[in-house]
Amino acid sequence: MTTFTDHDAARLLPLAGGFNFRDLGGYRTLDGRCVRWRRLYRSGKLSALTADDVAQLAGKRIRLVCDLRTPQERAQEPSVTGFGAVHRGWDQDAGHSRLRDAVAAEGATPRDVQAALAATYREMPWQFARS
């Protein structure tokens, strides 16, 4: 089980209406390099951002938001805009069906769901690079 460290806490951006918005900088790549800080972020949905959150994100100079939610999720809770980024959503399955199937499977264990999530994340960059 992975534990949450002070270093992980330093990654989190304190957004009032954002969920799990964090800097992906500092992670080691397979070839030994390191992801640059303040270049790549990850978050949950951006539909509840406050005006202060938008101002904070504008200061980050984020250019592109890649929304991997389903078209229905994006329609129900549209992302807040206004911080200068282009928002792009994909109308293809980003692995959601694999995760739903893993959760709904008879006798599914947390390990089964974790494996499905890990497989989805490993495939996503290649899947979206083609679109």
Side-chain angles (χ1 to χ4, degrees), residues 12-36:
L12 293 173
L13 276 74
L15 300 176
F19 174 73
N20 201 15
F21 198 106
R22 63 188 189 269
D23 192 327
L24 295 181
Y27 287 115
R28 290 261 169 230
T29 63
L30 288 177
D31 64 3
R33 293 184 295 167
C34 204
V35 176
R36 288 192 216 174

Side-chain angles (χ1 to χ4, degrees), residues 60-112:
K60 302 286 180 204
R61 298 168 52 190
I62 296 169
R63 295 184 305 199
L64 177 66
V65 171
C66 300
D67 194 334
L68 303 180
R69 296 177 299 158
T70 66
Q72 295 80 12
E73 290 170 319
R74 291 192 315 268
Q76 272 186 304
E77 297 182 273
S79 290
V80 172
T81 60
F83 51 92
V86 171
H87 288 249
R88 178 157 182 222
W90 281 263
D91 294 337
Q92 64 193 51
D93 186 340
H96 300 98
S97 60
R98 179 190 317 204
L99 294 174
R100 279 192 296 276
D101 292 348
V103 169
E106 178 99 21
T109 66
R111 190 168 300 219
D112 297 332

